[in-house]
Amino acid sequence: LNCSNKNIIMAGEGRDRSSRRRRSPMRSPTYEGDYENNTTNEMTLSSSEGGGAGAEASTTKVVVKVGKNTERETVTASVVSTTVQSPSSSRSSSSYKMTNDDDEDEITDDTISDVNVDTEVGSGGGHSGKKSKKRNTPSRSSSPTRSRSPTNTTFTKKQKPPNPYDDIKYTIVTNDGKHPSLILLVGLKSLFAKQLPKMPKEYIARLVFDRRHTSLALLSTDPQHKGGDEEVIGGICYRAYPEMRFAEIAFCAVSASQQVKGYGTKLMNLLKRHAVAIGVEYFITYADNYAIGYFKKQGFTKSISMPKGRFQGLIKDYDGGTMMECYVHPSIDFTRVPEMIKAQRNFIMERIRLVAKSHKVVYPPLPKGWTPNLDGVSRANEAAARAMAIPGVVEAGWTMADLLSSTGGAKDADRQKNYIKSELLSIVRRTEEQQFAWPFREPVDTTEVLDYLEIVKDPIDLSTIEKRIRRGDWYKSKQMLYADLMRMVNNCKLYNDSSSPYYECAVQLEKFLGTIFPDM
């Protein structure tokens, strides 16, 4: 019995038990058929022994129970021996051999559990056959057979916890010309037009109803909204390029009445799960200034790692938009990311507990009126010395330097440093949000502009400035930031002609910086 690839193949070979040397002339029948999960399937094998008149015939029926998730498992069973007796006899003996992966078990009449065998024996002369059902009773076969109970004949896998995304109602819709699809597409068009007011409505309609585009629509569970525009509460419209294994996201929006409920993240995770199913590796989109933060939270980045040869010439460049990319890992179920993070955290905590002592050692409370010995300790270090005197602090690995770095002047210095960092990041974000800032958001690609470094000796851009600010040790004041921003403006003016749009953006950026830094 071979259960693999949703096909059952059974081959039986009969032997005459009266002589082990003489092989029975019984032909080996073969059956092939389909099975379904959690069902019981019956197969009937017929064969005749010998030839001529009076030849005995046997019919073997095998009942196979197949469980879930067996497409990755392989079970092989074959008839080891079959004794066909005369019609007057009421006993027939059979034994089967089952192999599951690397484990091999021989199943006789007294060990059959998951495979039940019913044998009908009859004569070739039309005599009505007698039926004997194999039960879990000791076999009385003349030849003893060494057997043991099968251990891997039942395939059960650990059930996963329920997925919260299973309760979300959504659908994948394309313009196939059918009435239900057109109703959903009209709802998506209305949603995108309402939530993206700066986008031309004609452009939205053209892409949503384009047969090359596909949309994922989140649907309301309220029966009153069935069939109307309010049934669609969120959606993403994209165009896939299967031969290049990437897709371009055109629109993404959630209804205003359903925002701040997590639907934006759920919408993107459902799309990623669908992308894995259709073989998409990357998502690319042009995000406006208000959508960059959302796409960053969903795993998108401004750094494009996909080779340009895969998307160049297939998608358009949009002025005022930031190109962003997201890699879709094929082995991650994005709808179970919270479960994955929780499992990883639990694993790390278990490993920490193997070497940590904080959860094993408990010190008694400090006695009332307890005062540490602070002889020879300066006033500035009294707080740290008092903490070091508490039982268990030194044993936990704390040092005087650790405590001093989090108290007193060091703490004030860190506070001032963080204040400057947040202020400079705020200035850079305000600059990036301006419409004329699009040429300065990323470094100039010197593989396309070959002579750029020959003219501009010290290149700079907004992404590099942001990285330096986050590092925390580059800019000490606003004046240093202003110097880099003006160098960025001057580089653009130096390389580009005064009639180019890049030069005009540099002029507008210089005016904008004058409003932010009025004293410089």
Side-chain angles (χ1 to χ4, degrees):
L1 177 64
N2 185 357
C3 303
S4 178
N5 196 21
K6 292 193 175 182
N7 287 322
I8 296 179
I9 303 174
M10 180 173 178
E13 180 183 354
R15 293 192 183 99
D16 187 357
R17 293 200 179 200
S18 61
S19 175
R20 294 189 179 182
R21 296 180 180 179
R22 183 171 60 87
R23 182 179 298 273
S24 172
M26 179 184 289
R27 292 175 295 180
S28 300
T30 301
Y31 177 89
E32 182 172 351
D34 296 337
Y35 69 87
E36 298 178 357
N37 289 339
N38 287 337
T39 59
T40 299
N41 299 270
E42 296 185 0
M43 299 174 293
T44 302
L45 307 179
S46 300
S47 61
S48 60
E49 182 177 355
E56 293 181 339
S58 67
T59 301
T60 303
K61 181 187 292 182
V62 177
V63 182
V64 182
K65 295 181 180 179
V66 182
K68 290 184 177 179
N69 299 325
T70 59
E71 60 273 14
R72 298 184 181 178
E73 310 273 358
T74 301
V75 180
T76 305
S78 59
V79 177
V80 176
S81 62
T82 302
T83 301
V84 182
Q85 300 182 2
S86 62
S88 60
S89 175
S90 60
R91 176 67 180 169
S92 178
S93 175
S94 299
S95 63
Y96 287 80
K97 193 174 184 180
M98 178 171 285
T99 302
N100 177 23
D101 295 336
D102 297 331
D103 187 19
E104 186 172 298
D105 296 308
E106 188 171 355
I107 306 175
T108 57
D109 294 336
D110 58 330
T111 59
I112 294 176
S113 58
D114 288 341
V115 179
N116 300 325
V117 181
D118 293 339
T119 305
E120 295 180 359
V121 182
S123 65
H127 191 281
S128 59
K130 295 183 180 180
K131 179 178 179 180
S132 63
K133 185 175 182 180
K134 300 304 177 183
R135 303 179 183 273
N136 295 336
T137 57
S139 176
R140 291 179 289 181
S141 176
S142 57
S143 59
T145 306
R146 184 179 64 86
S147 63
R148 58 187 175 92
S149 298
T151 57
N152 294 327
T153 53
T154 302
F155 307 107
T156 59
K157 293 187 178 181
K158 186 178 180 181
Q159 295 294 331
K160 291 183 178 180
N163 193 336
Y165 283 78
D166 294 340
D167 298 332
I168 299 177
K169 186 179 179 182
Y170 72 100
T171 184
I172 304 295
V173 58
T174 57
N175 187 4
D176 54 5
K178 297 180 181 179
H179 188 260
S181 301
L182 294 176
I183 291 178
L184 292 175
L185 291 176
V186 170
L188 284 168
K189 186 262 298 180
S190 302
L191 173 67
F192 294 143
K194 186 181 298 183
Q195 298 301 125
L196 306 172
K198 295 183 179 180
M199 197 71 65
K201 295 183 178 180
E202 296 80 7
Y203 177 72
I204 294 176
R206 180 162 58 87
L207 264 62
V208 170
F209 287 94
D210 185 8
R211 296 182 183 271
R212 295 170 296 182
H213 283 70
T214 306
S215 298
L216 188 149
L218 286 181
L219 305 179
S220 173
T221 56
D222 191 345
Q224 296 181 355
H225 299 158
K226 181 70 174 178
D229 289 348
E230 295 182 354
E231 182 183 10
V232 180
I233 60 176
I236 294 181
C237 180
Y238 69 94
R239 179 179 176 181
Y241 297 87
E243 65 281 358
M244 295 300 175
R245 303 193 306 279
F246 83 94
E248 179 188 13
I249 296 178
F251 309 114
C252 175
V254 176
S255 176
S257 61
Q258 302 295 330
Q259 291 184 3
V260 200
K261 295 182 180 180
Y263 280 117
T265 299
K266 294 176 181 178
L267 185 66
M268 187 61 68
N269 288 339
L270 289 171
L271 180 63
K272 290 178 181 178
R273 184 171 70 175
H274 176 67
V276 172
I278 63 177
V280 170
E281 286 185 344
Y282 291 91
F283 278 116
I284 285 184
T285 188
Y286 275 88
D288 59 19
N289 299 327
Y290 302 101
I292 291 177
Y294 164 77
F295 282 107
K296 281 185 176 180
K297 292 179 181 179
Q298 307 309 318
F300 283 74
T301 176
K302 298 178 183 179
S303 177
I304 308 300
S305 60
M306 184 172 63
K308 283 191 174 181
R310 289 174 60 174
F311 65 87
Q312 202 166 24
L314 296 178
I315 63 176
K316 297 180 181 179
D317 294 330
Y318 298 93
D319 293 343
T322 302
M323 188 176 183
M324 303 187 74
E325 171 200 273
C326 178
Y327 173 69
V328 182
H329 202 286
S331 63
I332 294 179
D333 185 354
F334 290 91
T335 62
R336 293 187 177 271
V337 170
E339 298 177 19
M340 295 168 53
I341 296 176
K342 183 179 179 180
Q344 292 172 358
R345 183 180 184 275
N346 293 337
F347 174 78
I348 293 174
M349 294 304 297
E350 289 177 1
R351 303 301 296 178
I352 291 175
R353 291 190 186 98
L354 295 177
V355 296
K357 299 179 181 179
S358 58
H359 65 293
K360 300 178 182 178
V361 181
V362 179
Y363 292 90
L366 296 176
K368 188 176 182 180
W370 174 84
T371 56
N373 184 11
L374 300 179
D375 294 341
V377 179
S378 63
R379 183 177 294 272
N381 298 336
E382 280 186 0
R386 187 179 294 106
M388 289 293 295
I390 299 175
V393 175
V394 176
E395 290 78 359
W398 287 88
T399 63
M400 197 71 168
D402 295 332
L403 296 176
L404 288 175
S405 64
S406 60
T407 59
K411 194 172 184 179
D412 295 337
D414 290 341
R415 188 182 297 109
Q416 180 66 20
K417 184 178 179 180
N418 292 332
Y419 173 76
I420 295 176
K421 181 178 178 180
S422 61
E423 187 178 11
L424 298 183
L425 284 175
S426 176
I427 294 174
V428 172
R429 290 195 188 99
R430 287 176 57 189
T431 305
E432 288 179 340
E433 291 174 356
Q434 306 304 314
Q435 294 292 336
F436 48 78
W438 61 269
F440 310 101
R441 289 172 181 152
E442 298 294 334
V444 176
D445 190 351
T446 56
T447 60
E448 296 182 357
V449 188
L450 301 179
D451 61 340
Y452 185 78
L453 295 179
E454 297 177 2
I455 301 174
V456 178
K457 302 302 181 182
D458 194 5
I460 191 68
D461 61 277
L462 290 175
S463 65
T464 302
I465 292 174
E466 184 176 352
K467 292 178 182 178
R468 291 177 176 179
I469 295 174
R470 294 187 182 278
R471 193 186 308 168
D473 58 354
W474 189 277
Y475 297 105
K476 307 299 182 182
S477 62
K478 294 174 62 176
Q479 289 79 4
M480 297 180 66
L481 175 63
Y482 176 75
D484 272 356
L485 292 174
M486 285 305 301
R487 179 157 54 91
M488 186 174 64
V489 171
N490 294 331
N491 288 344
C492 184
K493 288 183 177 181
L494 177 63
Y495 183 82
N496 297 285
D497 187 77
S498 58
S499 60
S500 69
Y502 301 98
Y503 192 95
E504 179 63 25
C505 289
V507 173
Q508 295 183 22
L509 178 58
E510 185 176 9
K511 294 180 181 178
F512 176 75
L513 294 177
T515 61
I516 297 180
F517 304 94
D519 300 333
M520 299 180 188

